[in-house]
Amino acid sequence: MTFAVLQFPASNCDQDALHALRDVLGQSARYVWHKDTSLGETDAVVVPGGFSYGDYLRCGAIARFSPVMQAVQQFAANGGLVLGICNGFQVLCEAGLLPGALIRNRSLQFRCESVHLKSLTTDSPYTNQIPSDKVLRIPIAHGEGCYFADDETLDKLKAKNQILWQYCNAEGEVTEAANPNGSLLNIAGICNERRNVAGLMPHPERACEAILGSADGCLIFRSLIQALQNKVMSKAA
Amino acid sequence: MAGLRRIRAFPDGFGVKRRTGGRRSGAGVRIRPLYPEKTSVRLALSPTSPLTLREIVMKAKIIITPKKAVVDPQGKAVQNALEQMGYNGISAVHVGKYLEIDLSASDAENARRQLDEACHKFLSNPVIEEYRLELE
């Protein structure tokens, strides 16, 4: 499968994402510059972490108007799979591709540590390979990762099964103590109603090899690859 | 003189350029966004306006604050610090943003409408923030 990894000024997880996809998971992956108006031939898009455009105004607010994001909007509208990681999640929320917003951590601290994640569903292109009882261990590194949405949006997220990951403890229990940033409902990642666009604050691309302390991030990318392969097979059938 | 000078909130060269000299078409003011084709904010004269219409120099003041329903840990931290310093009677502190935009336009009404749109679309995030726009 071919992945497009976006690069904005001050993206800093683009290389990790490319490395995970290409070197660890054996996929074809390439960078797409923020000024490009086309994504070229691609099966999925990764919007990586970092501090796009210096996080000026609001995190992701300026990146969402970049030329490449207009192509991503189109790609998503056509059903293409788009995964936003950390700053990429913020960009997708600002772009209106995902509901809600990410605001300053409740603690006001930049949190850089490993967290535990519970996957709430296997019914998505991003979680289909994650065993339902598996607690993922994946790092976070952010100052603005507190997920916020109004009550109506939260109810809809729950009703439509759009909450993909919640912060939990090592036992898989969703507790206040396990919430690193004050996110409502301990939300770490969500998808849109159509389930083709997803975002999460933790960094799966930094947890794809045992030498990094965890390879749990692979499960998210393997899910994505599986979903793309299913797509190809259903087209061929 | 036509044109916007600079949106203070942005550093030099960040998408907003100084335009010198008037446009013969009398098209008024244009805020040049980062990517003009998508985020164009135009403060233009209506087609019926006389080309000789004088432009007014204006200052837009935009105050952006977090919505009441949004937890504002920054405001809470500032409030705690104020209380620790001995300032009493403070019931809430909200920390937001303030932007000043210098511009000139021939049609204040149109300028306000365009700035309002820019506030809604870009300068604030309606999911978490409210804004107040003053034009003087």
Side-chain angles (χ1 to χ4, degrees):
Chain A
M1 294 298 159
T2 305
F3 287 80
V5 178
L6 306 191
Q7 281 186 314
F8 300 105
S11 288
N12 66 6
C13 301
D14 42 336
Q15 293 187 34
D16 302 65
L18 198 88
H19 168 70
L21 289 164
R22 196 188 269 175
D23 306 328
V24 181
L25 293 155
Q27 304 299 305
S28 158
R30 60 188 162 74
Y31 297 123
V32 179
W33 187 233
H34 68 118
K35 286 184 177 168
D36 289 348
T37 53
S38 161
L39 294 166
E41 279 297 310
T42 191
D43 297 307
V45 175
V46 174
V47 190
F51 300 84
S52 58
Y53 298 89
D55 274 353
Y56 294 145
L57 194 62
R58 291 180 309 280
C59 305
I62 298 179
R64 73 150 286 199
F65 287 110
S66 60
V68 77
M69 279 307 295
Q70 313 311 315
V72 171
Q73 290 269 10
Q74 194 56 51
F75 183 76
N78 293 336
L81 299 186
V82 181
L83 176 65
I85 300 167
C86 196
N87 188 226
F89 185 14
Q90 295 165 337
V91 173
L92 296 178
C93 285
E94 280 285 340
L97 286 168
L98 290 172
L102 293 142
I103 58 173
R104 185 72 71 92
N105 291 351
R106 188 80 64 91
S107 63
L108 290 175
Q109 293 168 336
F110 188 96
R111 301 292 293 266
C112 185
E113 63 204 36
S114 267
V115 295
H116 293 97
L117 298 180
K118 178 184 178 177
S119 303
L120 273 74
T121 175
T122 52
D123 175 25
S124 86
Y126 305 92
T127 53
N128 61 55
Q129 296 299 300
I130 306 174
S132 49
D133 57 346
K134 171 82 180 167
V135 175
L136 305 176
R137 198 164 153 269
I138 290 183
I140 55 163
H142 60 247
E144 271 116 350
C146 173
Y147 183 79
F148 174 85
D150 59 26
D151 291 341
E152 195 187 329
T153 307
L154 290 174
D155 288 344
K156 205 172 150 204
L157 286 176
K158 282 191 277 187
K160 305 259 178 181
N161 221 8
Q162 289 172 244
I163 302 171
L164 300 184
W165 300 282
Q166 280 177 308
Y167 299 108
C168 65
N169 62 20
E171 286 72 46
E173 297 157 345
V174 177
T175 63
E176 187 58 41
N179 187 342
N181 51 30
S183 286
L184 296 179
L185 304 178
N186 278 41
I187 287 175
I190 55 167
C191 68
N192 63 348
E193 200 175 334
R194 198 173 167 185
R195 308 188 91 68
N196 62 318
V197 180
L200 76 167
M201 287 312 295
H203 287 273
E205 81 286 9
R206 294 189 193 174
C208 282
E209 291 161 284
I211 196 171
L212 297 176
S214 168
D216 290 350
C218 281
L219 290 169
I220 294 175
F221 291 114
R222 288 219 175 92
S223 299
L224 189 45
I225 294 162
Q226 184 63 48
L228 291 170
Q229 283 168 349
N230 292 349
K231 241 179 167 182
V232 172
M233 276 161 68
S234 67
K235 260 187 194 166
Chain B
M1 181 181 137
L4 177 82
R5 271 158 223 117
R6 185 184 304 154
I7 296 179
R8 270 201 191 168
F10 293 103
D12 287 357
F14 230 92
V16 181
K17 290 184 181 168
R18 185 185 177 124
R19 181 191 286 280
T20 51
R23 286 169 64 159
R24 282 183 70 86
S25 63
V29 170
R30 181 169 173 193
I31 297 177
R32 293 192 68 186
L34 291 166
Y35 302 106
E37 71 280 9
K38 293 295 171 196
T39 59
S40 178
V41 179
R42 260 183 210 138
L43 311 180
L45 286 175
S46 72
T48 52
S49 301
L51 295 178
T52 52
L53 202 65
R54 192 182 269 178
E55 292 199 323
I56 320 155
V57 175
M58 287 180 283
K59 189 185 280 290
K61 296 179 173 178
I62 299 159
I63 297 167
I64 300 165
T65 48
K67 276 185 173 174
K68 293 284 177 289
V70 177
V71 179
D72 177 14
Q74 223 183 147
K76 195 72 201 154
V78 173
Q79 183 182 347
N80 290 346
L82 285 169
E83 283 164 1
Q84 266 179 22
M85 290 164 75
Y87 294 103
N88 299 316
I90 296 165
S91 55
V93 177
H94 299 288
V95 178
K97 297 188 193 91
Y98 173 66
L99 290 90
E100 268 186 11
I101 301 180
D102 296 329
L103 66 144
S104 55
S106 47
D107 182 344
E109 197 55 37
N110 196 23
R112 174 177 286 279
R113 209 178 57 244
Q114 299 288 339
L115 283 163
D116 205 47
E117 187 188 296
C119 283
H120 192 76
K121 222 160 114 179
F122 174 53
L123 300 175
S124 79
N125 180 346
V127 176
I128 47 171
E129 294 169 328
E130 287 168 346
Y131 68 86
R132 199 166 74 233
L133 168 65
E134 290 166 11
L135 202 56
E136 53 186 51

